[in-house]
Amino acid sequence: MPELPEVEITRQGLEPLIINRQIKSVHIYQNQLRWEIPSHLTNTLNNQYIEKISRRAKYLLIDFKNGQLVMHLGMSGSISVVPTSEPLKKHHHFELKLDNSMSMRFHDPRRFGSILWQNSNEQLNLLKHLGPEPLSYDFNDTCLYKSSRGKKKNIKAFIMDSNIVVGVGNIYASESLFLAGISPKRQAGKTSKNRYRILTKCIKKILLNAINNGGTTLNDFSNVDGEAGYFAQVLSVYGCNNMPCKRCDGTIKRIVQNQRATYYCPKCQK
Ligand SMILES: [Zn+2]
């Protein structure tokens, strides 16, 4: 599943290929994604220019004069920019034909992705209550500490809550907690200010590393140029069940928390 680093890499890859391009036509081949693709897009986007592409949490936001296209990759989505003449594949559900004989195509075998629209003066509900961006200044030393008071859930579930901070997915939550030396079983509301200060730094570091390395290695994601998009990345704990800890003489353990796999070292994560 594409996480924040993969989405950010997609954004960076798409930017030079689509900015200032004009949409010549819009094609919806399958509108049943997680939510239905608005049928008005074929009119709304026609002849419009792409002004900007940004990211909020795991949403890609493409700016036009009349509003914003909001895209989410879901479980298996990917976006590529290819010559319009290239044959469509089975799971290409949406296509923007550009003014340079290139096409931006959305590919999604499992169809949990989404393509939505918001007018310039509105904001979709799903974007309204998102917590701060983890790589922004808003996500500072005291941010996690303040929002954790009174929270009984475990710290891993807490940092994966997008109302608290966005974009910390399952892999990166395990990796950040390992780097910070914090047990994923610790109660969020009973974790000290100093530990949260360290954890905040670790979350930023882990995500930046992943972006710089081109994302983690996963199966079904294509980079914008059509190559495999998840580059190999060294993970310290995730997927490392029963392997020796890199930091101490302990052994990495796999547990299930909130229906998700967690990997950690019981010896050096307290
Ligand atoms: Zn250890």
Side-chain angles (χ1 to χ4, degrees):
M1 180 160 78
E3 297 212 41
L4 184 143
E6 287 81 23
V7 180
E8 176 57 24
I9 288 155
T10 300
R11 189 200 68 75
Q12 291 174 8
L14 287 173
E15 193 168 44
L17 303 175
I18 63 169
I19 290 300
N20 297 325
R21 301 254 65 112
Q22 188 182 23
I23 308 297
K24 297 314 284 182
S25 60
V26 181
H27 304 264
I28 301 170
Y29 303 111
Q30 164 62 272
N31 64 8
Q32 300 298 310
L33 300 185
R34 182 166 182 194
W35 295 289
E36 194 172 315
I37 301 179
S39 58
H40 70 79
L41 288 180
T42 49
N43 289 322
T44 309
L45 292 180
N46 222 11
N47 293 320
Q48 295 294 319
Y49 284 88
I50 296 174
E51 295 182 342
K52 189 180 152 191
I53 177 167
S54 55
R55 181 189 55 73
R56 177 74 176 106
K58 297 205 292 180
Y59 293 95
L60 286 167
L61 309 171
I62 300 183
D63 283 29
F64 295 87
K65 205 162 125 190
N66 50 356
Q68 232 173 13
L69 193 65
V70 179
M71 304 178 82
H72 195 286
L73 301 175
M75 306 287 286
S76 60
S78 62
I79 301 170
S80 56
V81 176
V82 295
T84 303
S85 58
E86 203 167 281
L88 283 171
K89 290 181 187 152
K90 187 181 170 191
H91 302 292
H92 276 132
H93 306 314
F94 181 79
E95 176 172 24
L96 295 177
K97 290 188 181 171
L98 308 175
D99 60 352
N100 58 346
S101 304
M102 298 293 281
S103 278
M104 187 180 108
R105 289 175 180 169
F106 182 77
H107 186 265
D108 188 4
R110 297 184 64 184
R111 291 200 264 131
F112 282 104
S114 48
I115 296 177
L116 299 166
W117 177 258
Q118 56 187 9
N119 289 317
S120 306
N121 55 356
E122 65 173 16
Q123 192 179 32
L124 293 173
N125 275 331
L126 44 87
L127 296 175
K128 270 181 190 158
H129 305 291
L130 295 173
E133 284 290 325
L135 299 175
S136 72
Y137 289 112
D138 296 344
F139 186 57
N140 58 33
D141 277 4
T142 55
C143 186
L144 285 177
Y145 175 74
K146 280 184 192 157
S147 47
S148 67
R149 294 306 90 184
K151 296 267 163 54
K152 289 197 163 60
K153 61 167 86 167
N154 66 65
I155 192 165
K156 186 195 170 219
F158 174 70
I159 59 172
M160 286 180 68
D161 180 347
S162 63
N163 294 308
I164 302 300
V165 55
V166 300
V168 183
N170 199 39
I171 295 173
Y172 300 112
S174 280
E175 292 293 318
S176 301
L177 287 166
F178 174 74
L179 192 60
I182 299 172
S183 168
K185 296 199 274 190
R186 184 171 272 277
Q187 200 182 102
K190 288 188 175 164
T191 300
S192 71
K193 203 171 190 171
N194 190 44
R195 279 176 173 268
Y196 276 121
R197 188 182 57 76
I198 294 166
L199 180 58
T200 303
K201 284 203 175 102
C202 292
I203 289 172
K204 287 176 190 277
K205 191 175 175 187
I206 290 286
L207 290 173
L208 272 175
N209 271 344
I211 292 169
N212 292 336
N213 288 316
T216 49
T217 304
L218 293 175
N219 305 324
D220 43 12
F221 180 76
S222 302
N223 209 340
V224 284
D225 55 5
E227 290 169 25
Y230 291 96
F231 300 96
Q233 192 201 357
V234 179
L235 297 171
S236 296
V237 281
Y238 193 86
C240 300
N241 195 23
N242 293 327
M243 283 162 69
C245 174
K246 288 183 174 177
R247 188 165 48 203
C248 73
D249 59 356
T251 303
I252 304 303
K253 200 176 157 191
R254 179 189 190 274
I255 55 170
V256 175
Q257 291 179 295
N258 314 87
Q259 292 87 48
R260 306 295 301 274
T262 298
Y263 296 86
Y264 77 114
C265 173
K267 198 164 177 188
C268 65
Q269 287 179 253
K270 298 293 179 193

